[in-house]
Amino acid sequence: MSPAFGAMEVEHYAKGVLLEPFLHQVGGHSCVLRFNDKTICKPLIQREHQFYETLPTEIRRFTPQYKGVVSVSFEEDEDGNLCLIAYPLNGDQSNLENVDNSDCEPKNKVSRWTNKKTVLLENDNITKDRVRQHRKEEKIKSHKLDDEFEWLKKSEVLYYSLEKKGHISSQFKHNPWSMKCHQQQLQRMKENAKHRNQYKFILLENLTSRYEVPCVLDLKMGTRQHGDDASEEKKANQIRKCQQSTSAIIGVRVCGMQVYQTGTGQLMFMNKYHGRKLSVQGFKEALYQFFHNGKYLRRELFDAVVKKLTELKTVLEKQESYRFYSSSLLIIYDGKELPEVAVDSDSEYLEDLSEESSDESAGAYAYKPATSTVDVRMIDFAHTTCKFYGEDSIVHEGQDMGYLFGLQNLLAIIKEIRDESSE
């Protein structure tokens, strides 16, 4: 059985919000779901929850905003379609005071938190026959999607077309990685439904919400990935993955990528399996590809990324005892081309122009791309530890040298790409 979210458009959940796959999840194995435009949620892991509730102020600007906890239930509609519904924790509406729900649309897939009974939207003149027909159509669509995702999940690098008649389509196709994680989560909850059907999920800021076409790079940081509480089998498995990838050599590896190609109107996806196979040179080429839109290198992004990574490095160097085992670092920017800005040909900005705009035909004026906003955030803290976690038997002292080693090498490679591209 597969989720048929379109079928739920005609239903209004009494107190719950229908959770959807988060389109822009490019890595990780935990299921990330869309709560609303500005908020995502993921299964609550006690250690990660503790991190978000106790993290130092100086680190907070480099992590997603923590917004609280909800209760999530696994449910089926009358046709057997599986779905996940989020409810206020223990029925307490105060848990959602800091969740911006203003962008939820009552008549869409996401419902407002309300005390009304579950009803059909009769004011839209939706009859039971139409509802039944709608569900039937959506079920057929979902089976077709299943077939498509089966072969997509086997591809480590693939492309999706987004544009129609020169315009970016308003709805992305699902990143196959996010769908894979979502289907696995549904299956796990289905298998456990007889014994348990309430789970706690944490609410976090959707870091991609301000971008029209988010380009996302997920980097697994550090030379060690296993937590202190890992079993011997898990420890050996994680050590092997590090030794066979760039993690052991430079302290960072590609865990997932989504980048927009303006020339073809496609999104390119790279998953963690491909990232593990990359050599150091392959890692550098993957970074180059992330900053290349298929037409030219987005050189205007480099200084902003270097600045933020340097600031993060300075903050982490001051942290005592933290170990961010298996944590990832996200780099995000907007793949949509911004309007170019005219600059005087004598301006110092000319040295930053791409080859396409700096030739002699540009005349007295040339054009440089408008500055794009770049975000750099740490995520995934299920194996993070520090001396403030009283229940931990192992207490580390000093800096997380493995993470800082990866950060230093990441900075060096990005600077190298930047400098080589300006020669």
Side-chain angles (χ1 to χ4, degrees):
M1 289 183 289
S2 303
F5 294 105
M8 311 307 295
E9 288 182 13
V10 296
E11 295 186 9
H12 199 111
Y13 284 88
K15 298 178 182 177
V17 169
L18 175 64
L19 301 176
E20 300 173 313
F22 177 55
L23 296 181
H24 308 302
Q25 178 183 1
V26 299
H29 57 81
S30 181
C31 176
V32 179
L33 299 165
R34 177 192 182 277
F35 180 86
N36 64 32
D37 284 350
K38 297 178 183 177
T39 308
I40 60 171
C41 62
K42 60 185 293 193
L44 184 150
I45 296 172
Q46 193 57 46
R47 184 172 294 275
E48 183 169 44
H49 186 220
Q50 184 175 11
F51 171 81
Y52 277 113
E53 291 202 317
T54 62
L55 80 167
T57 304
E58 57 269 28
I59 297 182
R60 192 165 290 140
R61 68 190 181 100
F62 291 104
T63 64
Q65 179 190 356
Y66 167 68
K67 299 186 176 187
V69 180
V70 290
S71 175
V72 174
S73 296
F74 162 87
E75 300 181 16
E76 295 187 21
D77 66 12
E78 63 184 37
D79 292 324
N81 298 307
L82 309 185
C83 55
L84 299 176
I85 311 297
Y87 297 94
L89 193 62
N90 299 323
D92 183 4
Q93 295 287 345
S94 64
N95 281 289
L96 298 168
E97 286 178 358
N98 61 346
V99 179
D100 179 4
N101 220 28
S102 60
D103 55 355
C104 291
E105 302 175 29
K107 296 179 184 179
N108 204 343
K109 300 171 187 176
V110 182
S111 306
R112 293 189 188 276
W113 299 86
T114 128
N115 292 319
K116 294 180 181 179
K117 293 182 179 179
T118 303
V119 294
L120 294 177
L121 299 178
E122 294 175 358
N123 56 332
D124 286 345
N125 296 318
I126 299 179
T127 66
K128 289 185 178 179
D129 287 341
R130 287 181 60 193
V131 170
R132 212 168 281 115
Q133 180 62 27
H134 182 77
R135 284 175 173 160
K136 186 177 179 181
E137 292 172 357
E138 289 299 328
K139 200 164 188 178
I140 293 172
K141 288 180 185 177
S142 72
H143 285 308
K144 289 180 179 178
L145 281 174
D146 274 349
D147 294 339
E148 181 182 1
F149 285 129
E150 278 310 308
W151 72 264
L152 285 176
K153 285 186 292 187
K154 297 174 184 176
S155 303
E156 294 179 358
V157 179
L158 55 96
Y159 294 81
Y160 268 173
S161 294
L162 287 186
E163 292 192 351
K164 295 180 180 179
K165 299 180 180 179
H167 299 289
I168 296 172
S169 61
S170 58
Q171 293 294 323
F172 283 90
K173 286 187 176 181
H174 286 92
N175 182 324
W177 190 259
S178 71
M179 270 316 276
K180 177 179 179 179
C181 292
H182 181 263
Q183 289 176 343
Q184 288 175 340
Q185 181 71 29
L186 282 172
Q187 188 59 36
R188 283 194 297 267
M189 293 177 79
K190 178 187 176 185
E191 292 170 357
N192 295 330
K194 291 181 180 179
H195 310 287
R196 178 189 177 195
N197 193 29
Q198 275 200 323
Y199 298 79
K200 289 182 180 179
F201 277 51
I202 58 172
L203 296 169
L204 298 170
E205 172 189 6
N206 176 6
L207 300 173
T208 67
S209 62
R210 58 178 166 159
Y211 301 107
E212 186 167 339
V213 187
C215 294
V216 184
L217 177 63
D218 185 321
L219 299 170
K220 186 72 74 174
M221 301 299 297
T223 53
R224 167 181 161 175
Q225 301 302 324
H226 63 277
D228 291 329
D229 58 347
S231 65
E232 288 302 314
E233 182 182 359
K234 179 76 171 179
K235 179 179 176 181
N237 189 38
Q238 292 292 357
I239 291 174
R240 177 182 54 79
K241 289 177 183 177
C242 287
Q243 290 175 340
Q244 295 177 352
S245 69
T246 55
S247 291
I249 306 170
I250 57 175
V252 55
R253 71 174 183 256
V254 173
C255 193
M257 182 194 301
Q258 167 179 298
V259 59
Y260 182 58
Q261 309 285 285
T262 58
T264 58
Q266 293 179 320
L267 270 179
M268 186 278 286
F269 298 120
M270 181 184 295
N271 69 26
K272 68 179 182 181
Y273 301 112
H274 185 78
R276 285 181 197 162
K277 297 176 183 177
L278 298 174
S279 63
V280 174
Q281 179 60 31
F283 176 84
K284 179 181 176 181
E285 291 170 359
L287 277 187
Y288 183 94
Q289 190 171 19
F290 176 67
F291 290 108
H292 200 287
N293 65 7
K295 294 168 64 178
Y296 57 84
L297 194 64
R298 295 287 300 272
R299 290 170 51 199
E300 80 279 7
L301 301 171
F302 287 130
D303 287 343
V305 173
V306 167
K307 182 174 183 290
K308 288 182 181 292
L309 289 175
T310 302
E311 290 172 350
L312 174 60
K313 180 172 173 288
T314 300
V315 167
L316 294 184
E317 285 173 341
K318 297 176 182 177
Q319 303 306 313
E320 290 289 325
S321 183
Y322 271 101
R323 294 296 181 273
F324 301 98
Y325 299 135
S326 199
S327 177
S328 283
L329 189 67
L330 294 185
I331 301 177
I332 311 170
Y333 70 87
D334 203 328
K336 184 185 179 185
E337 288 184 291
L338 298 174
E340 294 180 323
V341 179
V343 294
D344 190 288
S345 59
D346 294 329
S347 167
E348 61 182 3
Y349 288 117
L350 274 184
E351 65 188 36
D352 292 329
L353 294 174
S354 61
E355 294 179 3
E356 290 85 355
S357 61
S358 61
D359 58 18
E360 294 179 1
S361 65
Y365 288 90
Y367 295 85
K368 71 183 289 288
T371 303
S372 209
T373 304
V374 177
D375 207 355
V376 172
R377 303 287 187 103
M378 301 170 70
I379 62 167
D380 296 341
F381 305 103
H383 303 287
T384 294
T385 182
C386 78
K387 60 185 176 183
F388 306 115
Y389 294 5
E391 73 278 8
D392 286 355
S393 58
I394 300 176
V395 176
H396 301 273
E397 297 295 336
Q399 305 167 333
D400 187 338
M401 297 306 297
Y403 195 109
L404 289 170
F405 177 66
L407 206 50
Q408 183 62 49
N409 285 317
L410 176 62
L411 270 164
I413 292 172
I414 291 177
K415 288 177 181 178
E416 194 176 314
I417 295 172
R418 178 194 63 186
D419 297 342
E420 288 175 355
S421 69
S422 62
E423 292 176 357

